[in-house]
Amino acid sequence: MQTPTIPHNPSSTFPPKSHHTQLKLLPKLHLLPQSLFYRPPKMASLGGFGFGVRSPVVGGGASSSSSSSSGVDTNGLCTLTEYVGKEGMNVGDDMVVLLHHIQYACKRIAALVASPFNSSLGKQNTLAGTGTGSGRDAPKPLDIVSNEIILSSLRSSGKVAVMASEEDDTPIWLTDDGPFVVVTDPLDGSRNIDASIPTGTIFGIYNRLVEVDHLPNEEKALLNSLQAGARLVAAGYVLYSSATILCTSFGSGTHAFTLDHSTGDFILTHPSIKIPPRGQIYSVNDARYFDWPEGLRRYIDTLRQGKGRYPKKYSARYICSLVADLHRTLMYGGVAMNPRNHLRLVYEANPLSFLVEQAGGRGSDGKSRILSIQPVKLHQRLPLFLGSLEDMEELESYGDVQQRVNPGYEV
């Protein structure tokens, strides 16, 4: 039987023909390296990989082992594509193709944020009348370019029916026979990029709802995008920092892969991450302490004084980049939070909560499990608390931890 191959459409170009006419408003876009916009190389097949062993995998994270439940030997090098393929987790050919395009897009975004030309692009005025944010959250040029890179890759994969992005007002219907739905925050933390603070990409993957295929494209695109987090089949984030790390889960543990820039491969470095049941770090913007409800103030005061269930004083670590703060929390334990009604359920809270739960932690809005919340709006916002199971249980025991007002703060 012939081994399936990656679909390739020679007529597909970047930027794609889409509703993003705002790209025409970026006069310095041509200054960016053209390699950002090349199509991914065509994979020969999904059955044979031909990757040579170059050096041992470096063990890391909260937990690592010489082998994993997937059957992949982690004593030697293992790429992301190998890990999810037939000799590894065997997530299915369609998912392998999709992941190939997602990791390609994220490598292009990694090059974008590290480029010396992004400074010129980032200093252009925020694009008026685009996206869903306002004020501090209004789309930046780098957000828009990152969004287009992901859209182009998902369209080229041929495996995605719907893409819903934080940067778009409505979801985009891509193809009738795509088996998957992808939700994404293309470039989280972009407003801090001029200070070289870590940024990230967040994504979640659902199965397409075939039961609504008969509806008009706009309606079925929205219904597919508003699936509860409990229906996720995969999720991940990519951290752009001193290393580029892709952390993902397919419902059987959370695993992290580090980009080898010499080969372009994501290499398994943190198999089967287990978040410690309790950490000694909390992450929150406590400059807003006096805007918090009484329950949250008491909880943080207790941690600072070492008078909680864990009789040691906690340390504060806050980057103000959601992906970076969560990645540290996965590695070391503790709790990362934004108590304001601010983070988006569909694009941020659901995918990250899925990853945390698969690592043995918990994602909550302060009262309820995130993955059990049914979205009612595409850009629905809520408080978000992520972290170690025992820390999260202690936090929720204080009851009133959700900040409902934002005096003197521009959303």
Side-chain angles (χ1 to χ4, degrees):
M1 187 174 81
Q2 185 177 3
T3 305
T5 59
I6 294 289
H8 178 71
N9 180 3
S11 65
S12 177
T13 59
F14 184 89
K17 294 180 180 178
S18 74
H19 64 292
H20 277 299
T21 56
Q22 61 262 35
L23 275 176
K24 298 176 181 178
L25 302 178
L26 303 180
K28 296 185 179 180
L29 187 62
H30 69 280
L31 294 176
L32 292 172
Q34 291 303 303
S35 60
L36 292 175
F37 308 124
Y38 290 166
R39 282 183 46 79
K42 183 178 178 182
M43 280 172 50
S45 72
L46 301 176
F49 296 99
F51 292 103
V53 174
R54 294 175 288 272
S55 62
V57 166
V58 178
S63 172
S64 57
S65 60
S66 61
S67 63
S68 71
S69 59
S70 67
V72 175
D73 180 9
T74 57
N75 281 323
L77 274 185
C78 176
T79 68
L80 174 60
T81 306
E82 290 173 318
Y83 193 79
V84 299
K86 287 185 172 63
E87 297 179 5
M89 294 187 68
N90 194 18
V91 298
D93 290 348
D94 287 339
M95 181 66 79
V96 172
V97 172
L98 175 56
L99 286 171
H100 171 70
H101 284 77
I102 288 177
Q103 66 173 308
Y104 165 78
C106 292
K107 283 185 277 189
R108 300 284 63 78
I109 295 173
L112 173 67
V113 299
S115 168
F117 300 104
N118 76 41
S119 179
S120 296
L121 185 60
K123 288 176 182 176
Q124 294 181 46
N125 292 333
T126 296
L127 303 178
T130 62
T132 60
S134 62
R136 289 157 58 95
D137 284 339
K140 313 297 189 295
L142 287 173
D143 293 308
I144 301 303
V145 176
S146 299
N147 195 55
E148 289 292 343
I149 290 172
I150 291 178
L151 175 60
S152 178
S153 288
L154 297 186
R155 177 179 281 124
S156 296
S157 76
K159 301 300 180 182
V160 179
V162 183
M163 169 181 153
S165 169
E166 181 176 318
E167 307 306 329
D168 297 323
D169 292 326
T170 58
I172 303 170
W173 188 264
L174 295 178
T175 180
D176 289 341
D177 57 356
F180 299 118
V181 175
V182 175
V183 297
T184 181
D185 180 354
L187 191 58
D188 176 73
S190 61
R191 72 169 181 252
N192 293 322
I193 204 165
D194 283 345
S196 296
I197 291 175
T199 54
T201 294
I202 304 169
F203 63 90
I205 303 173
Y206 297 92
N207 288 319
R208 188 184 89 242
L209 298 174
V210 295
E211 59 268 30
V212 300
D213 280 349
H214 64 285
L215 297 175
N217 284 355
E218 183 177 343
E219 187 174 349
K220 65 184 179 183
L222 181 60
L223 290 174
N224 272 282
S225 302
L226 292 178
Q227 298 185 60
R231 297 178 65 97
L232 281 163
V233 295
Y237 63 76
V238 180
L239 174 65
Y240 311 115
S241 185
S242 56
T244 299
I245 297 176
L246 191 158
C247 184
T248 189
S249 176
F250 305 93
S252 57
T254 297
H255 318 279
F257 301 77
T258 302
L259 179 62
D260 181 348
H261 289 280
S262 67
T263 65
D265 294 324
F266 277 101
I267 305 299
L268 179 65
T269 51
H270 300 73
S272 302
I273 295 171
K274 296 298 181 186
I275 186 172
R278 182 177 287 277
Q280 204 173 334
I281 297 172
Y282 72 90
S283 179
V284 66
N285 180 7
D286 55 9
R288 299 290 159 184
Y289 177 90
F290 294 103
D291 299 331
W292 293 345
E294 177 62 26
L296 185 57
R297 289 202 300 265
R298 286 192 296 109
Y299 171 70
I300 294 298
D301 287 344
T302 299
L303 296 185
R304 288 169 171 169
Q305 297 173 65
K307 295 181 178 179
R309 298 177 184 175
Y310 184 63
K312 290 188 177 181
K313 295 180 180 179
Y314 277 49
S315 298
R317 299 286 186 273
Y318 182 60
I319 302 171
C320 193
S321 178
L322 180 58
V323 170
D325 281 317
L326 174 62
H327 186 72
R328 183 198 54 248
T329 303
L330 276 178
M331 295 294 104
Y332 304 141
V335 59
M337 66 186 91
N338 188 329
R340 297 189 296 121
N341 210 38
H342 180 69
L343 295 175
R344 289 166 173 85
L345 173 60
V346 172
Y347 311 112
E348 297 168 315
N350 273 337
L352 297 183
S353 294
F354 183 81
L355 291 167
V356 170
E357 285 199 6
Q358 288 297 318
R362 176 171 169 82
S364 168
D365 69 350
K367 295 181 179 179
S368 305
R369 177 183 180 237
I370 289 290
L371 298 184
S372 298
I373 299 174
Q374 174 61 52
V376 294
K377 295 189 297 184
L378 193 60
H379 299 284
Q380 180 175 340
R381 296 175 184 257
L382 77 175
L384 180 60
F385 303 83
L386 300 163
S388 299
L389 191 58
E390 292 179 15
D391 283 304
M392 290 294 298
E393 290 173 349
E394 183 173 0
L395 165 72
E396 291 178 326
S397 73
Y398 283 78
D400 186 19
V401 296
Q402 298 176 327
Q403 179 185 340
R404 293 300 187 184
V405 295
N406 300 297
Y409 188 87
E410 181 187 9
V411 177

